[in-house]
Amino acid sequence: METAKKYKILIVDDDQFLLNMYSLKFGKENFDVTAITGGEEALRKLREGFNPDVLLLDVIMPTVDGNELLNVIKKENLAPHAAIVMLTNQSKDSNVVNAKSLGIDGYIIKATTIPSEVVEEVLKITRAKNK
């Protein structure tokens, strides 16, 4: 029988309620969760050598938004093997196209996805990326 791999996930969102909720949900699914409230703090953690299997990024955040964060992560090759998923309420096609052009692995709209579906989708993307 295959033992489920424990994936390290970095969740970046400026909404503390959502961070707490997703931390709990992912933790129950055997993820090792690190939750951070902003892009600057996320960059600091990654630059210090934290190497997650999954990055779950909000787009709209103060100071450094998810797209800027993603640009720096790619430019500095900070999480080269991580599955990158945007979790946002930004549903305009232009937002999705822009994020996909930056090489993300998934794009989930918060407003139309319940937390358990977010976890399922992230798990599916992560497993596919780590085959």
Side-chain angles (χ1 to χ4, degrees):
M1 189 169 101
E2 185 184 331
T3 306
K5 177 176 173 18
K6 187 164 188 149
Y7 294 112
K8 284 193 297 187
I9 185 169
L10 176 62
I11 305 172
V12 186
D13 197 311
D14 61 320
D15 184 323
Q16 191 63 53
F17 173 79
L18 289 177
L19 273 181
N20 293 342
M21 181 187 59
Y22 283 115
S23 293
L24 188 66
K25 289 282 186 191
F26 280 99
K28 284 183 177 178
E29 293 300 321
N30 200 34
F31 279 81
D32 180 3
V33 180
T34 300
I36 291 182
T37 56
E40 290 174 331
E41 191 181 340
L43 284 174
R44 189 167 38 258
K45 182 95 174 149
L46 292 166
R47 285 173 176 150
E48 288 169 355
F50 184 68
N51 192 14
D53 299 299
V54 186
L55 284 166
L56 188 62
L57 309 176
D58 184 16
V59 174
I60 304 298
M61 295 184 288
T63 319
V64 178
D65 72 26
N67 289 324
E68 291 174 73
L69 177 57
L70 184 56
N71 275 322
V72 175
I73 287 168
K74 291 290 187 178
K75 192 170 107 189
E76 295 183 18
N77 202 27
L78 293 174
H81 306 294
I84 301 173
V85 180
M86 302 304 270
L87 178 65
T88 181
N89 277 318
Q90 301 303 304
S91 59
K92 286 194 318 206
D93 288 344
S94 60
N95 293 344
V96 178
V97 169
N98 179 54
K100 288 192 175 179
S101 75
L102 296 171
I104 63 166
D105 299 292
Y107 196 97
I108 301 171
I109 307 299
K110 290 179 191 176
T112 59
T113 314
I114 61 172
S116 59
E117 291 172 337
V118 171
V119 173
E120 279 177 41
E121 185 66 19
V122 168
L123 200 48
K124 188 170 74 176
I125 290 165
T126 305
R127 284 181 176 144
K129 177 109 180 173
N130 286 282
K131 279 192 173 185

